[in-house]
Amino acid sequence: MSENYRNNFLKEVEERVEEGHWVKMCMQCGVCAGSCPLGAHWAHPPQELFMMIRAGKREEVLTSDSMWMCTSCYNCVVRCPRKLPITHIMHGLANLAYRLGLSPKNQTTQKFASMFWNNLAQTGRVNELKLSLGMYFKDGFGQGIKNAMAMQSVGLGMVKAKRLNPMELFGGHGIKDKSGFHAMLKKAREIEDRRKNFA
Amino acid sequence: MADMKVAAYICQGCGLGERLDTAALASVAKKEGKAALIKEHEFLCNADGIKMIRDDIANEAVTHVMIGACSRRAKTEAFGFTDVCVSRANLREGVIWSQPETEEARETTQEMAEDYIRMGCAEVKKMTLPEGDPAAVTERTLLVVGGGVSGMTAALEASKAGYKVVLVEKSGALGGWAAKLHKRTPGKSPYKDPQNTPVAEMAAAIEADANIKVYLNASTSKTSGAPGRFEIEISTESGSTTIEKVGAIVQATGFELYDANKLPELGYGKSANVVDQAGLEALAKAANGSPIKRPSDGGEVKTVVFVQCAGQRDDSGKHLPYCSGSCCLTSVKQAMYFKEANPDIDTVVIYTDLRMPGNGEDFYRSGQEKGVIFTKGKVSGVEAAGNQCKVSFQDLILNDQVAIDNADLVVLATGQVPNSGVDIDTKLKAEIAAAAGDNSLMEAYTASQQEGAVQPISMLNLTYRQGPDVPQLKYGFTDSHFICFPYETRRTGIYSAGPVRRPMDMVQAMEDATGAAMKAIQAIENAGLGRAAHPRSGDLSFPKVRLEGCTQCKRCTVECPFGAIDEDEKRFPLFNQARCRRCGTCMGACPVRVISFENYSIDTVGSQLKAVDVPDEFSEKPRILILACENDAYPALDMAAMNRNVYSAFVRVIPVRCLGSVNTIWINDALSSGYDGVMMMGCKHGDDYQCHFVKGSELANIRMSKIGDTLKNMSLEEERVSTFEVAITDIERVPQLINDYAALIQKIGMSPMKGF
C-alpha cells in the first residue's frame, strides 16, 4: 500500500508503454468509457485504467483483460477532449503486460495476436490458412474439428473462388530475403528492449 | 400651474390612421381629455411633426404634451422634450399591434385606443416638470476601502481616469492577501507557470501617484452623507482621526480564509504538517525557492497531499456551503512549488470537482504535464503519525476506500469568507423565515446576540438609519446582482469589488475592481448633475413628501431598498436625494400617500385608471387593469406586440417604475371603479431576484399577500387581484397570461362594483 498514488507506476508506464506519457493528462471525464462500443464488456474502462495507473495499482492493471478488449475503433480517440491517443495506449498497455508475462492466459485477443505475430514473423507473410486453423484448434482437437465443420461451407466456397489454397498448409510461400527479415526483426526488438528497459 | 396648457397630438403613421378613427380620438382628447390644442399628424415623429410640436410649445405656450402614437419606449429621442411634461398613449404596440386586424375587432380596438387617449390626458395633467436638485454638488474624489489587489486596482484605475483617490488600509502595508503569497496563479498567456505577484509594482505606482492618498493602519470609523458628498471619518491606530470628503466609495474589503481550526477531523492543529493554503504560502515564502521542509522536524518532503473543498461545499450545515472558486487554482500552483524544486516529489491533489475558472484549464493541464497527480476523491480524515500523516479518502473513480500513509505535508484548501461587516438584514431575514415556519435562523440570530459572542466589525460604519454596512445577499457576500449590475450594492454610490462580492481569484478581482471604479466615477458625475444613478440613470425626478400629512409610521425608512431615507430629530423621514434611485418603493409603502414624484405620483396613476371608460355590467366587456413593471413586463408586452402576439382587448396597461411603487390605493380605486380584475406584473424576487430595485417586487408581493382580506370585505373574489412574475423574455408567455386571466374573469363573472 505504501506505493499508492505515487508516481512510480506512472513513470514505468511513461517509459515502457507506447504513448504512455499521455496517461497523466487524463482529466477523468469518462467520455472514452461512454463512447466504447464494447464498454459493457470491459472490467475497467480506459478512464478507470488511467486512474488505476495513477493510483499505483500495477498488478491489477497489468493482469487485467480490459485493454485486450479494444477493437481499435478509435471512437474514444476522436471524442477525448484532452486528445489522448487512448487506443494506442490500450495496445501499449497490453503489450507491456504481455512482455512481463502478466497478461491473462487464454485471453482470446491475446492468443490471436501472438499467433498472428508468430505466423507473420516466420515467413514475412501471413499464412491465412494456418492462422485460421490455429484459431479453430486453440481450445483442443475436438473443439477444433467442430469449429472446422461449422465453417466448412465458407472454406469450400473460398477454395472454389480461388481465395484459399489448401496447399498452403504445407509450408506456404514467404518473402524473398527471409534471413534479412529475421535479422531486421531481431534488431528492432533489441532497440525496443533497450528503449523500454527490458533486460 | 395656472398656466397649464395641454396639447394632444395623435399620430396616423405606422398604420394607426387605417386601423383607428383618429378623428374620434381627437374628439375624445377634446371633450374628455380637455386638451386645449389637438392635432392629428400623418407621421408625427418625422421632422415636420416634431417641428409642429416644437412650434406649439414656443408659440402657443403649451406646457403639457400628450402624444398618442407608439410606446413610450419607442422614439424616445424624437419625443424627448425636456421643457414640457410629456405623456405617451401607447396606440401602436398597446393597441393596433396587439389586437387582431379584423372587422369584428374594430370596435374593441377603437375603445382601447380611446381609453389610452383618456389615460394619457389624465396623466399629463397631474405631472409637473422635474427640477432636479439645484443644490447638487459633487466631490471628484473616490474612497477605496481596502488596500489589497482589488483596492489598489480600483485606486490606480480611478486615478488614471483623472479622479483623486483616498485609500484606507487597516494593516500597516498595502497588498492584502496577495502580499502573503509566494507567487500567484498566472494572469496571462501561456498560463503555465506561477508568476510573481503584482503587489510591489502596484504599491510603488500608488506611492508615486500624487492623486492617491493612502491611510495605513486606518479604518473608516464613520461614513455619512450621500453620493457626491460623503464625509468619511478615518481613524488611525494611533488614535488620530481625519475627515475626508469623497463622492463615491469602492468597498474592496476582501476575505479571510475559513478557519481551519474548525476542521480537526482533517488533522489541523493536531500536526504541524497539516497546513491551510495560507500556511503553505508562508512556508514557500520562507523557503524562497529552495526546497520546502517539513514543518514538524525540518525533514525532507517527499509526498504532499492537497485536500480540496476542506470545509467548503459542505451540505451538513457545519461549514461553508459554497465553492470559493479559486482554491483549485491555488493548489495546482502550490503543487508546482514542489515540482519546480524537485520533480520527484509526489504531489497528489484530491478533489471532488476541479473548478478552474478563466484560463485555469491551461494551468490545470500544465500541472498535469509537470506530473501533479489528480485524483477524484472525498477525504474522510487525516491522522498524524509521528512526522507523517495518513490521509484516508474514498476514491470516487475506482470506488475504493484508500489511504495515503506517509504524507509529509497535507494542505487544506479552505475557502473564502467575505469581510462584509455587519449583516444588517439578519434579524429581518430571521423574522421572515420564522413567519414561514423555519425557526433555525431566529435561533442562530438569538445565539449570535448573546453576551460575550463575537460581533462582526463594521467595515464602513455608515450613519444610515438602516444599519452600518451594505446589505448582504447570501453567505455574507454583499448584495449585488450577479449578472445585471454586479458592482451596485444596495447603497447608492457605494460599490463592492473583489472577494467581498463573491469568491474569486486575483484575475477576476482586478477586473472587478476596474468595473467598480468606473461605476463609482459614474455615480460621482451623476451626483454632480443631481441625476439618479443606475437603473434610472439620468432621472431628475425625486420624491417630494408632504410632511404635514406624515404619521411617522417609518414604513418608507424601513422599506427603502437603498437606505436613502434617514430620520430627522423630530423622527420625520429625511430624504437623501443623491442616495435615491427613484424606484418609488416609498411611495408604494406610504399608507397616507404623502410621497410623490413630480412626474410619477399617486395621482398620475390614479387619475389614469379612473379615466378609463368602464362599460356597465351587462355589456360583456370587462375591464382588467395591468400594472406592469417598466423594466421587464412593459417591454415584454411591447415586444409581444411587435411579434403581433394578440391579447385580450379588455386590458388597460399602466407602466409603473417598479411593482414596489404600487400603492394599494390604486388597487382599491380600480376595484371600486368597477374594474373586474387587476394584474400586477413584476420581476422575479427571492435570492435569484431580477428586480432592478432589488426589493421592489418582493415588497409588492408581501403587500399584495395581505390584500385578500380587503377583497373579502368588499365581497370580491380573491382572484380579482393577482401578481405575476414576468421576465423581459416572456414575449410568448405574457399574452398567454393575459388571455388566461381574461378567461378566468369571464368565468367568475363581472364585478358587482360597476356604476357607483
Side-chain angles (χ1 to χ4, degrees):
Chain A
M1 279 301 273
S2 65
E3 288 301 304
N4 62 3
Y5 297 91
R6 302 303 200 278
N7 284 335
N8 315 44
F9 184 40
L10 183 64
K11 274 187 190 146
E12 184 182 349
V13 168
E14 289 190 358
E15 207 170 83
R16 299 180 121 180
V17 170
E18 207 71 48
E19 307 279 9
H21 60 281
W22 278 98
V23 170
K24 61 176 181 286
M25 299 308 292
C26 167
M27 63 175 194
Q28 297 295 327
C29 67
V31 164
C32 50
S35 303
C36 182
L38 264 80
H41 303 284
W42 294 48
H44 309 292
Q47 168 205 15
E48 221 169 280
L49 284 176
F50 296 152
M51 196 62 240
M52 288 160 77
I53 293 169
R54 281 148 42 162
K57 296 177 183 272
R58 186 174 190 271
E59 187 81 10
E60 264 182 73
V61 171
L62 295 177
T63 56
S64 162
D65 69 347
S66 290
M67 54 272 193
W68 295 100
M69 304 302 288
C70 176
T71 59
S72 311
C73 75
Y74 284 84
N75 229 358
C76 52
V77 178
V78 171
R79 292 184 179 178
C80 176
R82 279 296 182 83
K83 299 191 166 62
L84 266 70
I86 301 166
T87 304
H88 299 186
I89 304 170
M90 290 304 112
H91 296 324
L93 281 172
N95 181 263
L96 176 66
Y98 178 75
R99 292 291 306 267
L100 294 171
L102 292 170
S103 53
K105 306 283 174 267
N106 296 323
Q107 207 284 337
T108 317
T109 328
Q110 189 215 124
K111 203 123 198 176
F112 176 75
S114 49
M115 259 182 207
F116 184 93
W117 178 255
N118 293 337
N119 184 311
L120 175 76
Q122 248 174 20
T123 62
R125 276 186 192 277
V126 176
N127 185 320
E128 285 169 354
L129 189 59
K130 279 187 183 171
L131 182 63
S132 41
L133 285 177
M135 277 306 280
Y136 290 173
F137 286 91
K138 81 177 170 58
D139 296 323
F141 187 74
Q143 185 59 41
I145 294 294
K146 270 188 201 160
N147 290 339
M149 294 304 281
M151 296 298 286
Q152 195 181 22
S153 60
V154 177
L156 286 175
M158 283 176 77
V159 171
K160 267 188 204 157
K162 304 214 162 139
R163 307 299 304 164
L164 192 132
N165 182 358
M167 298 316 283
E168 287 280 311
L169 202 54
F170 312 101
H173 69 293
I175 55 169
K176 277 180 193 161
D177 182 10
K178 242 186 264 183
S179 61
F181 173 64
H182 287 139
M184 191 175 78
L185 287 183
K186 194 169 167 246
K187 187 70 188 167
R189 178 70 175 229
E190 271 172 33
I191 293 168
E192 194 196 13
D193 283 359
R194 212 179 319 126
R195 192 156 55 89
K196 294 188 177 174
N197 206 8
F198 286 110
Chain B
M1 275 308 95
D3 304 311
M4 179 165 78
K5 184 168 182 183
V6 179
Y9 297 92
I10 294 157
C11 181
Q12 295 169 325
C14 294
L16 289 167
E18 291 92 71
R19 297 278 305 276
L20 300 170
D21 178 355
T22 53
L25 296 180
S27 108
V28 166
K30 188 177 176 62
K31 285 188 195 134
E32 298 175 56
K34 307 272 186 255
L37 190 69
I38 297 131
K39 287 186 180 169
E40 292 167 56
H41 194 281
E42 59 188 4
F43 191 172
L44 192 60
C45 61
N46 74 1
D48 180 55
I50 301 299
K51 188 172 175 299
M52 177 179 80
I53 302 174
R54 276 258 151 255
D55 286 348
D56 287 348
I57 296 170
N59 306 327
E60 306 277 338
V62 168
T63 56
H64 289 65
V65 172
M66 198 290 300
I67 292 167
C70 39
S71 163
R72 57 158 66 185
R73 297 177 47 80
K75 303 286 170 198
T76 47
E77 230 168 90
F79 297 136
F81 307 110
T82 51
D83 46 354
V84 290
C85 298
V86 182
S87 73
R88 304 274 299 264
N90 187 355
L91 303 181
R92 191 179 69 175
E93 287 86 345
V95 182
I96 62 164
W97 283 0
S98 58
Q99 296 306 314
E101 196 173 353
T102 57
E103 208 41 52
E104 305 86 79
R106 225 178 149 82
E107 185 191 326
T108 49
T109 308
Q110 179 71 17
E111 282 173 2
M112 216 177 178
E114 286 174 9
D115 269 345
Y116 280 121
I117 295 291
R118 288 182 191 105
M119 290 157 78
C121 290
E123 182 191 13
V124 78
K125 278 187 272 183
K126 298 290 179 186
M127 288 163 85
T128 54
L129 209 55
E131 40 189 46
D133 182 3
V137 286
T138 200
E139 197 68 53
R140 287 194 168 72
T141 306
L142 181 68
L143 170 74
V144 177
V145 183
V149 162
S150 314
M152 290 198 290
T153 307
L156 287 168
E157 293 290 343
S159 166
K160 270 188 228 164
Y163 290 79
K164 284 197 185 317
V165 179
V166 174
L167 180 60
V168 176
E169 162 60 33
K170 69 168 184 252
S171 75
L174 294 175
W177 270 108
K180 298 179 187 169
L181 304 181
H182 172 48
K183 288 197 174 165
R184 61 168 288 197
T185 49
K188 56 175 187 253
S189 177
Y191 305 99
K192 278 190 181 305
D193 303 296
Q195 293 172 353
N196 289 327
T197 70
V199 171
E201 289 162 41
M202 291 175 90
I206 285 174
E207 194 156 334
D209 195 327
N211 275 337
I212 306 175
K213 195 167 168 187
V214 181
Y215 288 89
L216 294 177
N217 295 315
S219 61
T220 46
S221 50
K222 196 170 151 193
T223 303
S224 55
R229 50 175 183 86
F230 282 115
E231 223 174 79
I232 319 291
E233 183 189 270
I234 298 166
S235 300
T236 55
E237 247 169 36
S238 58
S240 66
T241 59
T242 324
I243 303 288
E244 288 281 358
K245 289 185 173 170
V246 302
I249 300 170
V250 170
Q251 181 180 345
T253 44
F255 67 98
E256 296 291 334
L257 277 190
Y258 184 69
D259 185 4
N261 285 309
K262 293 179 185 164
L263 301 164
E265 67 274 21
L266 297 181
Y268 194 84
K270 293 186 178 157
S271 163
N273 299 332
V274 180
V275 294
D276 62 4
Q277 290 187 326
L280 190 86
E281 291 295 336
L283 290 174
K285 221 171 164 149
N288 196 20
S290 56
I292 294 167
K293 297 288 180 203
R294 197 160 54 199
S296 64
D297 64 343
E300 192 190 345
V301 173
K302 287 186 185 139
T303 301
V304 192
V305 177
F306 294 87
V307 179
Q308 297 311 109
C309 301
Q312 299 190 63
R313 300 178 67 204
D314 171 80
D315 48 18
S316 71
K318 278 193 290 185
H319 305 298
L320 302 181
Y322 56 86
C323 162
S324 292
S326 62
C327 343
C328 287
L329 289 166
T330 303
S331 288
V332 174
K333 176 191 76 176
Q334 293 183 339
M336 285 185 188
Y337 292 168
F338 294 95
K339 285 289 179 190
E340 263 161 36
N342 177 5
D344 287 336
I345 296 174
D346 286 311
T347 51
V348 186
V349 178
I350 306 175
Y351 66 92
T352 46
D353 304 281
L354 277 174
R355 293 183 176 176
M356 299 285 180
N359 288 287
E361 281 298 324
D362 286 344
F363 193 52
Y364 170 29
R365 209 174 278 125
S366 172
Q368 288 180 303
E369 272 160 12
K370 289 180 184 183
V372 179
I373 293 184
F374 292 87
T375 176
K376 191 174 167 77
K378 194 153 181 57
V379 176
S380 49
V382 178
E383 292 160 53
N387 285 317
Q388 291 187 317
C389 293
K390 180 181 172 189
V391 182
S392 305
F393 65 101
Q394 177 76 20
D395 186 317
L396 296 172
I397 298 289
L398 305 179
N399 200 17
D400 221 356
Q401 182 63 41
V402 287
I404 296 175
D405 287 329
N406 45 1
D408 298 299
L409 203 51
V410 176
V411 185
L412 306 181
T414 56
Q416 298 181 351
V417 180
N419 281 331
S420 48
V422 181
D423 181 4
I424 62 172
D425 283 338
T426 319
K427 194 170 170 215
L428 191 67
K429 279 183 197 158
E431 282 166 359
I432 292 168
D438 176 9
N439 276 315
S440 59
L441 282 178
M442 197 43 118
E443 279 156 24
Y445 175 74
T446 318
S448 74
Q449 295 304 304
Q450 257 145 28
E451 253 178 85
V454 185
Q455 298 293 330
I457 299 160
S458 172
M459 293 292 134
L460 297 174
N461 290 298
L462 292 165
T463 58
Y464 288 29
R465 186 209 184 276
Q466 289 185 2
D469 276 304
V470 299
Q472 301 167 3
L473 178 62
K474 238 181 161 178
Y475 314 132
F477 293 97
T478 56
D479 190 358
S480 67
H481 194 279
F482 210 64
I483 296 160
C484 301
F485 32 95
Y487 314 118
E488 300 285 344
T489 67
R490 276 170 50 202
R491 295 291 174 259
T492 310
I494 304 177
Y495 298 87
S496 62
V500 70
R501 187 172 77 71
R502 65 168 178 80
M504 60 177 75
D505 68 350
M506 198 186 290
V507 175
Q508 293 172 36
M510 290 170 91
E511 203 177 286
D512 227 46
T514 311
M518 296 303 125
K519 291 305 289 182
I521 288 169
Q522 282 180 6
I524 289 175
E525 292 302 331
N526 272 325
L529 298 166
R531 307 194 309 186
H534 162 94
R536 292 188 58 83
S537 189
D539 189 359
L540 289 169
S541 72
F542 178 69
K544 302 269 184 267
V545 53
R546 276 191 304 112
L547 282 185
E548 59 274 24
C550 173
T551 58
Q552 300 190 329
C553 74
K554 315 228 176 303
R555 278 179 55 188
C556 56
T557 54
V558 171
E559 291 191 8
C560 174
F562 306 104
I565 314 170
D566 290 335
E567 273 164 37
D568 65 11
E569 315 83 68
K570 292 178 189 155
R571 319 211 67 185
F572 281 114
L574 183 65
F575 285 73
N576 287 277
Q577 179 152 350
R579 288 187 207 162
C580 174
R581 307 244 182 131
R582 282 72 163 172
C583 58
T585 297
C586 49
M587 183 171 110
C590 185
V592 288
R593 298 175 294 283
V594 294
I595 302 170
S596 59
F597 295 79
E598 290 108 324
N599 54 6
Y600 180 62
S601 63
I602 299 290
D603 269 358
T604 59
V605 176
S607 62
Q608 279 185 75
L609 65 92
K610 282 181 227 164
V612 169
D613 178 41
V614 181
D616 68 31
E617 220 174 314
F618 312 104
S619 64
E620 292 182 14
K621 282 178 183 169
R623 286 291 175 261
I624 297 163
L625 176 67
I626 298 181
L627 295 169
C629 161
E630 66 177 12
N631 296 298
D632 271 34
Y634 201 66
L637 281 163
D638 274 359
M639 287 190 284
M642 285 175 206
N643 287 335
R644 305 298 192 276
N645 293 339
V646 171
Y647 55 77
S648 166
F650 302 131
V651 299
R652 301 293 179 261
V653 185
I654 300 178
V656 294
R657 288 189 179 182
C658 174
L659 269 202
S661 72
V662 172
N663 195 295
T664 44
I665 190 74
W666 296 340
I667 314 290
N668 273 327
D669 281 355
L671 293 173
S672 52
S673 343
Y675 281 86
D676 302 281
V678 179
M679 293 178 88
M680 309 219 311
M681 296 184 177
C683 303
K684 188 174 170 58
H685 52 86
D687 280 344
D688 49 351
Y689 63 85
Q690 291 179 356
C691 179
H692 288 55
F693 298 103
V694 188
K695 291 281 159 199
S697 58
E698 186 175 315
L699 287 166
N701 228 53
I702 295 169
R703 288 177 202 152
M704 291 312 140
S705 67
K706 291 168 186 158
I707 212 161
D709 294 337
T710 319
L711 287 167
K712 265 184 216 146
N713 289 342
M714 293 169 88
S715 317
L716 289 175
E717 296 79 0
E718 280 189 46
E719 294 87 348
R720 296 221 187 254
V721 180
S722 294
T723 316
F724 301 87
E725 282 187 352
V726 171
I728 197 161
T729 46
D730 284 344
I731 52 176
E732 305 283 338
R733 181 173 160 257
V734 162
Q736 194 57 49
L737 282 179
I738 293 176
N739 293 338
D740 290 349
Y741 190 72
L744 177 75
I745 291 298
Q746 194 105 42
K747 211 172 105 195
I748 57 180
M750 301 287 267
S751 163
M753 310 286 288
K754 288 177 198 278
F756 291 106

